[in-house]
Amino acid sequence: MDLYYVNKNVQTNGDHEVHKSTCGHKPNRENSLYLGAFNTCKNAVKEAKKYYIKSNGCYYCCNECHTS
């Protein structure tokens, strides 16, 4: 299982990106909301959508959950 966070800051396209704790592109701690430990990024993005309806996986660490 991986630990996941969502960026509190919105991206230019309106998304809030979901990141694994090990991602080199994750936001600073003060801009991160901890989502929990999940087996897949799909479950993490689902959890993030409870806070930010327009959530998306990070291109780098959650590419299988990233949409353009």
Side-chain angles (χ1 to χ4, degrees), residues 15-27:
D15 286 350
H16 290 265
E17 286 190 331
V18 173
H19 299 269
K20 291 181 182 179
S21 62
T22 57
C23 182
H25 298 274
K26 71 180 185 285

Side-chain angles (χ1 to χ4, degrees), residues 7-54:
N7 190 340
K8 293 179 184 178
N9 296 322
V10 67
Q11 304 299 306
T12 56
N13 66 357
D15 286 350
H16 290 265
E17 286 190 331
V18 173
H19 299 269
K20 291 181 182 179
S21 62
T22 57
C23 182
H25 298 274
K26 71 180 185 285
N28 295 331
R29 181 176 291 196
E30 62 271 9
N31 297 325
S32 298
L33 175 65
Y34 178 67
L35 297 171
F38 298 96
N39 287 323
T40 68
C41 65
K42 289 180 183 178
N43 292 331
V45 170
K46 183 178 178 180
E47 181 67 19
K49 288 185 178 204
K50 293 178 182 178
Y51 302 94
Y52 305 108
I53 194 68
K54 201 165 178 210

